């Protein structure tokens, strides 16, 4: 007993799919012409599935799924062009000097960073082949299940892995920019400060550390006991 909504940008595809759903009596399955980056729902979205969403459309879907706190995310990416236009490295130019090798490396690296980002945001993530390569060369599936307890040590390790890669290959991707919605440097009394505003899923660890240092210690609280029900959905400024 599930309600399913399908999105696509092509009107003829949506018309055909709705006709098929009606023909076979699937009353809780319907399709809409829509863009995943702008989609909203009044009901909780338990599962988000993407199949060959091209380039950053996959990232929009992942970002929204994480923001919606979807319990399960199944994503099959396609056409990962973004990193290919950004990547630049001196230490590993043997990979980037040849167009075909660079393209394939960037596709795999993009999906690896997506998997790491899902881990950072509290999802247990596996990378699988969902179909034989002879049927489709784009056969990587990111399978993510939202965990109920956050592992801050693991999050810290994942964060360092992402930052090291981005620094080495000069390739900070769209998905990370979406989570760090605003980041800039300011000067106060002659001192440089970095201001970061973003979703709780990316900044929660740092915010909890600051809260405990300036408030929790004084009140003899443990690090976890100063949490409240709004922490998961708030917007933090560090």
């Amino acid at each position: 007993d599930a309600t399913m909504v399908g999105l696509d940008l092509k009107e003829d595809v949506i018309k055909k799919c709705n006709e098929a759903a009606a023909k076979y009596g699937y009353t809780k399955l319907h399709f809409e012409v829509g863009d995943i980056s702008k989609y909203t729902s009044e009901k909780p979205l338990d599962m988000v599935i993407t199949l060959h969403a091209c380039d950053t459309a996959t990232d929009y879907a992942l970002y929204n799924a994480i923001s919606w706190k979807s319990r399960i995310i199944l994503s099959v990416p396609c056409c990962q062009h973004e990193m290919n236009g950004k990547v630049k490295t001196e230490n590993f130019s043997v990979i980037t000097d040849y167009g075909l090798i660079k393209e394939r490396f960037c596709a795999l690296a993009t999906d690896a960073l997506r998997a790491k980002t899902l881990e950072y945001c509290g999802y247990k993530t596996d990378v699988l082949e969902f179909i034989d390569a002879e049927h489709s060369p784009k056969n990587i599936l990111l399978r993510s299940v939202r965990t109920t307890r956050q592992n801050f040590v693991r999050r810290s390790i994942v964060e360092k892995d992402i930052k090291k890669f981005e620094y080495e290959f000069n390739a900070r991707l769209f998905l990370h920019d979406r989570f760090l919605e605003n980041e800039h440097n300011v000067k106060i009394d002659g001192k440089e400060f970095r201001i970061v505003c973003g979703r709780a899923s990316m900044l929660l660890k740092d915010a909890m550390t600051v809260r405990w240092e300036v408030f929790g210690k004084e009140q003899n609280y443990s690090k976890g006991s100063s949490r409240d029900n709004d922490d998961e959905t708030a917007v933090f400024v560090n």
Side-chain angles (χ1 to χ4, degrees), residues 13 34 39 50 70-71 76 109 116 129 135 172 203-204 207:
V13 171
Y39 182 76
T50 77
S70 301
R71 291 190 292 117
V76 179
K116 286 290 184 183
E129 282 189 330
H135 299 294
R172 178 162 144 173
L203 298 176
L204 186 57

Side-chain angles (χ1 to χ4, degrees), residues 90-110:
E90 294 181 2
N91 294 327
F92 296 97
S93 59
V94 64
I95 295 174
T96 58
D97 279 349
Y98 304 98
L100 180 60
I101 294 174
K102 177 185 176 184
E103 180 183 355
R104 293 184 179 179
F105 167 77
C106 288
L108 290 172
T110 297

Side-chain angles (χ1 to χ4, degrees), residues 36 48-50 53 55-70 73-77 110-111 113-115 117-118 121 123 142-144 174-175 178-179:
I36 186 60
V48 173
I49 302 171
T50 77
D55 203 20
T56 54
T58 294
D59 298 300
Y60 275 113
L62 294 179
Y63 174 79
N64 285 339
I66 293 168
S67 300
W68 296 329
K69 302 189 184 303
S70 301
I73 303 172
L74 303 174
S75 180
V76 179
T110 297
D111 289 341
L113 286 175
R114 286 167 171 162
T117 302
L118 286 160
C121 293
Y123 284 82
L142 306 181
R143 182 180 65 188
S144 302
F174 165 85
L175 184 59
R178 288 292 293 175
F179 280 109

